[in-house]
Amino acid sequence: MNILDWKTKQNNVEVPFYPARVLLQDFTGIPAMVDFAAMREAVKKLGGDPMKVHPACPTDLTVDHSLQIDFSKCAIQNAPNPGGGDLQRPLVKVSPQKVQPRKVPCRGQTGCKGPCDAGESSRNSGKFSAQIENTPILCPFHLQPVPEPETVLKNQEVEFGRNRERLQFFKWGSKVFRNVAVIPPGTGMAHQMNLEYLSRVVFEVKDFLYPDSVVGTDSHTTMVNGLGILGWGVGGIEIEAVMLGMPVALTLPEVVGCELTGLASPLATSIDVVLSITKQLRQAGVAGKFVEFFGTGVSQLSVADRTTIANMCPEYGAILSFFPVDNVTLKHLKHTGFDKAKLESMEAYLKAVKLFRNDQISSEEPEYTQIIQIDLSSITPYVSGPKRPQDRVAITNMKSDFQACLNEKIGFKGFQIATEKQNDIVPVEYEGNEYRLSHGSVVIAAVISCTNNCNPSVMLAAGLLARKAVEAGLMVKPYIRTSLSPGSGMVTHYLSSSGVLPYLSKLGFEVVGYGCSTCVGNTAPLPEAIRNAIKQGDLVACGVLSGNKNFEGRLCDCVRANYLASPPLVVAYAIAGTVNIDFQTEPLGIDPNGKNIYLHDVWPTREELQQVEEEYVISSMFKELKEKMEKGNKRWNFLEAPESVLFPWDLKSTYIRCPSFFDKLAKEPVSLQPIENAHVLLYLGDSVTTDHISPAGSIARNSAAAKYLTNKGLTPREFNSYGARRGNDAVMTRGTFANIKLLNKFIGKPAPKTVHFPSGQTLDVFEAAELYQKEGIPLIILAGKKYGLGSSRDWTAKGPFLLGVKAVIAESYEKIHKSHLIGIGIAPLQFLPGENANVLGLTGKEQFSVSFPQELFPGITLDIKTNTGKVFSVIASFENDVETTIYKHGGILNYVARRFL
């Protein structure tokens, strides 16, 4: 009844939602699986049966975040790690600028009739292809299967070696837990697998039909909304309850209708459409709402376009962005292997329950809370940056905008470079040649597996642009860290079979592996000469990537400006070597005859893209990928793992450790305890991201986590990343607030530091928190607007909890992060409208006390007292009764564990 009466009940009532399945990726999936293993231990200790601890909801875990770019076209590193591996001993030295044009070899394929050359790279890669089973690639000249590039195989080999403990743990989990399936590394990214293999659209169980739906530990689970599947990201802590059969407690949301009209210009790619819609929806204020797309413009978008748009849903704050199933969807599903009977049953069911979109009958358009109109024909190509995904810049304004950023004060759009320094040139010698670096020089260019690879037209556009550029005699400077990390083997397949892959490789965009890499900070270090030149000239060096996250310091600590762009623009900026360029009036480069080559000379037309897409992106590719997924790979198949009911924890392991969340678990929850005389651990401003709170990238050598690992006998090259070590609470607690770009007002400059007020010392955040805990002093955090912005990570709550944080007081929260805080037992308190720490005259040096009534309810106002005599009110930001219940239990882990007792 609440749902039927949605107009009056929106935002006022909660409804239980039971998703059909759960999707995990390894960075956020491993802590969930570790918690399950620890929960079995806790249940046994309290007299329960550990065999009862199983996921009740079907769960797929994709190992796609372990990939690091150890090997690329610039140099083959000796298994380094971005968090500290050195470059002193490369296994093989490569001089990219000396690579001569050559035909891509078929590598000795029997039956290959053409004049291709099975060269040295072929012989080197053979030994690796024998060890690892990979997605077949086609010889672009003869369309015959060939092994994966050597780069892929070497990266996968290192990936399995580096993450062996984690992979064994995952395999143990897939054996002992019912309803858990693990997709091994090297297969593809979670979102891509979700689209190509895991999605059902309509479930059919024992002749019972119901819609497919999914929740995932990644905020970009929303990508499947483009297939007409309801899905969104939730907290890693919250999802454990879903896995155990509990519903998602959902406050009945407003549903915003986004009407799309018109058709985008040929130069506007899906990413341009995405960034334009992102900005307009963010400005419209759709945070915490459902968005559904309708209108004539929807029919102009392919399923690939729709999934790309839906994938960016978290960037404009909506819970999800839904494209109902229509004829375009059915046509796509037919190409991806759905049989005729399944499609007919699906269409009949969806029409019967009025979930099928029909453009021809406008009277059947659903009712919405509000309608936002977007004209696609008004969209022009954009990039986004230099520090946030919502800061769009038209390509036509890129040069003037970058120069304005140099002038602006340090902030989201500024670098504050002195006027007389803005034209500085720093000469640098690299591999025997001299180059000139300046503000705006591109040093990282990555086509990565996050937003774009679900869209063949965007990837093919990059390949076609590369082909035209190479044919025109253009090249990429060898010091630029270029990489191509597809979302799955299917992407490599159609890039290869369409003949564009060798041209991407010629420009340095070699396939480095399958999974998240540059986007999460897993890129190899820049060449030492380039790093030194950047530091010497205090240059604003740039990274350009086709992902969805570009927060400052995320890619590399010496790369200050990061721009999100479509794959063809990533290639274009790499060729230009700078973002400080006007593509309309300045050439990309000069051909061998001295002729200027402009962007419009090499940009592929819409007709070219459609022809190539229709010819090469066909159903056989999806079928081949599905067969590969079902077969697995040899390394995973032969990996040994225990089969015991309880996981045999290795006390020496630095990857997998039994967490301490259940150490004080009792059979019954205790009454709510007040927070008394708490000190402020951190005094933060607006837009503090989950990257600031719990970094996913490299582990700095001078960090608290590095000290811990060093004491365990590890060398810097063995540190791996924070994301890879999320199964170890000791590392993750030390990594909390360890981001070098953290701006704590107590310190006044970016640094992972804070002040321990009893002693007056400035310490690492972990060291200060450790002192406070020894002194028995509780902690709180003061923050501004949008606290917890960015990717969903349960350690952004678990880490502060283990540091001793009892509450956060902020102006506003990102929804998923707030759910995390509640799920671990941290109170999310919110300043009253118009108030913040500054308005209230708080310095952060006070001590704070607050009491919670035993009858805690959503939205209750609480009084906070300070030791200076100041009293102010805050809102307890619980959205429903389930959240207050979970908080009373001390978090969702305790709540779920008690259910087994």
Side-chain angles (χ1 to χ4, degrees):
M1 292 302 295
N2 284 332
I3 296 176
L4 294 177
D5 191 22
W6 63 273
K7 287 185 178 180
T8 60
K9 296 297 179 67
Q10 290 176 126
N11 300 322
N12 294 319
V13 299
E14 60 186 47
V15 292
F17 176 70
Y18 290 88
R21 56 191 175 90
V22 164
L23 179 69
L24 306 174
Q25 45 93 339
D26 54 313
F27 267 21
T28 50
I30 194 166
M33 298 300 288
V34 167
D35 289 345
F36 266 63
M39 194 179 295
R40 282 194 163 194
E41 298 270 1
V43 167
K44 182 180 180 181
K45 287 179 181 178
L46 291 176
D49 181 3
M51 287 292 290
K52 290 183 178 180
V53 181
H54 285 284
C57 186
T59 300
D60 298 295
L61 190 154
T62 301
V63 185
D64 69 337
H65 276 52
S66 300
L67 176 67
Q68 295 185 19
I69 305 176
D70 296 301
F71 308 103
S72 68
K73 61 99 179 179
C74 287
I76 299 180
Q77 312 295 343
N78 184 15
N81 169 267
D86 60 62
L87 303 179
Q88 296 176 358
R89 294 172 47 210
L91 288 176
V92 181
K93 294 183 178 179
V94 182
S95 299
Q97 78 276 16
K98 295 181 181 179
V99 174
Q100 300 298 318
R102 62 177 176 84
K103 295 179 181 178
V104 175
C106 280
R107 297 179 180 136
Q109 288 294 322
T110 303
C112 179
K113 305 298 184 184
C116 55
D117 175 25
E120 184 66 26
S121 60
S122 165
R123 293 190 291 273
N124 288 342
S125 63
K127 60 184 178 182
F128 294 100
S129 61
Q131 295 172 358
I132 306 174
E133 187 168 330
N134 295 279
T135 302
I137 300 178
L138 301 182
C139 164
F141 300 104
H142 306 94
L143 300 183
Q144 299 215 9
V146 299
E148 288 277 20
E150 183 178 359
T151 304
V152 176
L153 304 180
K154 284 180 175 293
N155 280 319
Q156 288 184 356
E157 183 180 33
V158 174
E159 181 180 1
F160 265 86
R162 175 187 286 131
N163 295 285
R164 185 176 183 83
E165 287 182 49
R166 298 170 66 243
L167 296 177
Q168 287 177 320
F169 176 75
F170 283 138
K171 196 160 188 178
W172 168 81
S174 68
K175 289 181 177 182
V176 303
F177 291 122
R178 293 192 299 267
N179 288 326
V180 171
V182 176
I183 299 171
T187 309
M189 62 179 293
H191 318 308
Q192 197 79 17
M193 298 301 99
N194 201 11
L195 284 174
E196 297 173 14
Y197 182 74
L198 302 173
S199 294
R200 283 81 152 177
V201 185
V202 172
F203 266 82
E204 184 172 351
V205 180
K206 297 179 180 179
D207 296 326
F208 180 70
L209 300 177
Y210 57 95
D212 189 1
S213 59
V214 59
V215 292
T217 50
D218 195 294
S219 56
H220 298 283
T221 304
T222 51
M223 184 182 279
V224 293
N225 297 163
L227 271 182
I229 297 172
L230 204 65
W232 67 93
V234 299
I237 302 168
E238 184 180 7
I239 210 166
E240 295 174 31
V242 177
M243 291 168 67
L244 289 165
M246 293 178 63
V248 176
L250 182 67
T251 300
L252 193 63
E254 298 179 37
V255 181
V256 177
C258 183
E259 184 177 14
L260 303 181
T261 59
L263 181 65
S265 72
L267 286 179
T269 68
S270 297
I271 304 309
D272 301 315
V273 175
V274 165
L275 295 176
S276 179
I277 291 175
T278 296
K279 182 175 182 180
Q280 294 188 53
L281 291 179
R282 185 178 286 275
Q283 290 174 340
V286 296
K289 302 176 183 179
F290 282 15
V291 175
E292 181 173 325
F293 292 90
F294 73 104
T296 57
V298 175
S299 296
Q300 308 300 322
L301 300 177
S302 67
V303 167
D305 291 332
R306 300 175 189 190
T307 54
T308 307
I309 292 169
N311 186 50
M312 289 295 280
C313 168
E315 311 310 326
Y316 45 83
I319 298 175
L320 57 84
S321 293
F322 186 71
F323 288 85
V325 174
D326 59 8
N327 290 322
V328 175
T329 317
L330 294 180
K331 182 179 179 180
H332 170 82
L333 294 175
K334 181 180 179 181
H335 289 158
T336 60
F338 279 69
D339 61 50
K340 184 178 179 181
K342 171 70 174 176
L343 290 173
E344 290 176 349
S345 171
M346 180 189 302
E347 182 177 1
Y349 167 75
L350 292 172
K351 286 181 175 178
V353 296
K354 299 187 182 300
L355 289 177
F356 192 87
R357 176 182 171 275
N358 190 339
D359 246 355
Q360 306 304 315
I361 309 176
S362 59
S363 60
E364 291 192 3
E365 294 289 4
E367 293 184 59
Y368 300 104
T369 307
Q370 69 177 104
I371 291 177
I372 299 169
Q373 295 180 323
I374 297 178
D375 182 2
L376 299 180
S377 63
S378 66
I379 297 173
T380 55
Y382 284 87
V383 296
S384 185
K387 301 181 183 181
R388 300 189 303 177
Q390 63 263 38
D391 295 326
R392 295 192 313 151
V393 184
I395 293 300
T396 52
N397 300 331
M398 181 61 175
K399 184 170 184 175
S400 59
D401 187 84
F402 178 75
Q403 291 173 348
C405 289
L406 295 180
N407 286 315
E408 288 290 327
K409 292 182 179 180
I410 293 177
F412 294 132
K413 289 281 289 183
F415 298 102
Q416 201 170 354
I417 303 298
T419 305
E420 64 274 13
K421 296 285 188 181
Q422 292 180 13
N423 296 318
D424 284 0
I425 301 292
V426 180
V428 57
E429 185 172 324
Y430 181 71
E431 296 188 339
N433 293 315
E434 185 173 300
Y435 300 94
R436 293 157 62 86
L437 296 185
S438 59
H439 295 293
S441 288
V442 173
V443 293
I444 294 176
V447 177
I448 58 177
S449 60
C450 209
T451 301
N452 312 285
N453 293 343
C454 66
N455 196 317
S457 66
V458 180
M459 296 298 291
L460 287 170
L464 291 174
L465 187 149
R467 185 179 71 185
K468 290 186 174 186
V470 170
E471 289 173 347
L474 302 182
M475 291 297 292
V476 174
K477 294 178 178 65
Y479 61 77
I480 298 177
R481 278 279 186 250
T482 49
S483 61
L484 170 61
S485 178
S488 75
M490 189 205 75
V491 180
T492 306
H493 192 144
Y494 68 65
L495 288 176
S496 178
S497 60
S498 62
V500 299
L501 193 59
Y503 296 98
L504 285 164
S505 179
K506 177 72 174 176
L507 294 180
F509 291 93
E510 288 190 348
V511 176
V512 296
Y514 303 100
C516 292
S517 50
T518 304
C519 198
V520 292
N522 287 352
T523 190
L526 295 178
E528 194 67 26
I530 303 302
R531 292 177 64 93
N532 291 339
I534 293 171
K535 292 178 181 178
Q536 174 190 335
D538 191 26
L539 298 179
V540 179
C542 298
V544 186
L545 62 154
S546 59
N548 51 48
K549 295 288 193 305
N550 62 333
F551 301 120
E552 188 177 11
R554 187 179 178 105
L555 303 191
C556 177
D557 58 0
C558 64
V559 179
R560 285 190 271 175
N562 299 305
Y563 287 92
L564 306 181
S566 63
L569 282 176
V570 171
V571 177
Y573 277 115
I575 295 170
T578 180
V579 300
N580 194 15
I581 183 174
D582 182 348
F583 282 137
Q584 290 183 306
T585 61
E586 299 177 64
L588 281 178
I590 301 173
D591 72 7
N593 297 321
K595 178 186 176 183
N596 288 338
I597 304 296
Y598 293 86
L599 179 62
H600 61 78
D601 294 325
V602 296
W603 191 273
T605 65
R606 187 175 296 276
E607 290 72 23
E608 287 176 306
L609 283 172
Q610 289 176 346
Q611 180 181 349
V612 174
E613 187 173 350
E614 289 173 3
E615 187 173 352
Y616 296 104
V617 186
I618 55 178
S619 59
S620 62
M621 297 178 181
F622 289 88
K623 180 181 178 181
E624 189 170 349
L625 176 63
K626 291 177 181 179
E627 290 174 353
K628 175 180 184 289
M629 290 183 63
E630 290 166 357
K631 185 184 292 186
N633 67 57
K634 291 179 181 179
R635 284 187 176 276
W636 175 261
N637 293 341
F638 291 117
L639 184 69
E640 295 182 357
E643 299 184 17
S644 53
V645 173
L646 300 179
F647 184 72
W649 307 99
D650 181 357
L651 298 180
K652 297 180 180 179
S653 173
T654 57
Y655 277 102
I656 308 296
R657 194 175 110 127
C658 188
S660 58
F661 302 123
F662 300 105
D663 287 355
K664 298 180 181 179
L665 178 67
K667 289 188 176 182
E668 298 296 332
V670 298
S671 58
L672 288 175
Q673 300 297 307
I675 301 172
E676 296 180 333
N677 298 317
H679 269 293
V680 177
L681 179 63
L682 294 161
Y683 184 3
L684 306 170
D686 297 339
S687 298
V688 174
T689 70
T690 50
D691 276 343
H692 289 122
I693 303 170
S694 183
S698 58
I699 299 174
R701 294 190 181 193
N702 60 348
S703 65
K707 295 173 187 175
Y708 168 83
L709 293 173
T710 300
N711 289 337
K712 291 289 184 179
L714 273 64
T715 63
R717 68 159 72 261
E718 298 171 311
F719 286 172
N720 211 321
S721 65
Y722 282 113
R725 293 195 179 274
R726 285 182 179 174
N728 185 322
D729 61 318
V731 172
M732 296 309 297
T733 305
R734 287 164 172 80
T736 304
F737 297 111
N739 191 308
I740 60 172
K741 298 298 181 181
L742 180 73
L743 185 56
N744 179 8
K745 294 184 180 182
F746 293 149
I747 304 300
K749 62 180 181 180
K753 303 283 185 180
T754 195
V755 176
H756 176 253
F757 287 107
S759 66
Q761 299 179 78
T762 297
L763 303 168
D764 285 342
V765 175
F766 172 78
E767 293 172 348
E770 192 174 37
L771 280 181
Y772 280 124
Q773 290 200 45
K774 289 178 180 178
E775 296 159 350
I777 299 174
L779 299 170
I780 65 168
I781 291 171
L782 294 179
K785 300 181 181 71
K786 298 179 182 178
Y787 180 74
L789 195 68
S791 303
S792 63
R793 295 175 188 164
D794 55 349
W795 272 108
T796 58
K798 289 178 177 177
F801 175 81
L802 293 178
L803 288 178
V805 174
K806 303 299 182 184
V808 176
I809 309 176
E811 291 184 69
S812 63
Y813 295 88
E814 189 79 358
K815 181 178 174 61
I816 293 179
H817 181 64
K818 186 175 69 171
S819 297
H820 275 162
L821 294 176
I822 296 168
I824 200 62
I826 295 176
L829 307 179
Q830 192 166 332
F831 290 108
L832 297 180
E835 294 186 353
N836 56 39
N838 188 51
V839 170
L840 294 171
L842 300 174
T843 65
K845 299 177 181 179
E846 304 89 350
Q847 288 182 269
F848 297 77
S849 298
V850 60
S851 295
F852 298 91
Q854 295 306 310
E855 296 301 320
L856 187 65
F857 59 85
I860 187 174
T861 299
L862 305 173
D863 288 333
I864 294 184
K865 301 177 181 179
T866 71
N867 62 335
T868 61
K870 185 182 293 293
V871 179
F872 63 96
S873 297
V874 295
I875 299 168
S877 192
F878 301 101
E879 294 194 14
N880 49 58
D881 292 335
V882 172
E883 289 190 344
T884 58
T885 299
I886 288 171
Y887 180 73
K888 290 176 182 178
H889 274 264
I892 204 165
L893 296 177
N894 291 344
Y895 177 70
V896 172
R898 289 186 178 109
R899 294 186 65 198
F900 293 110
L901 299 173

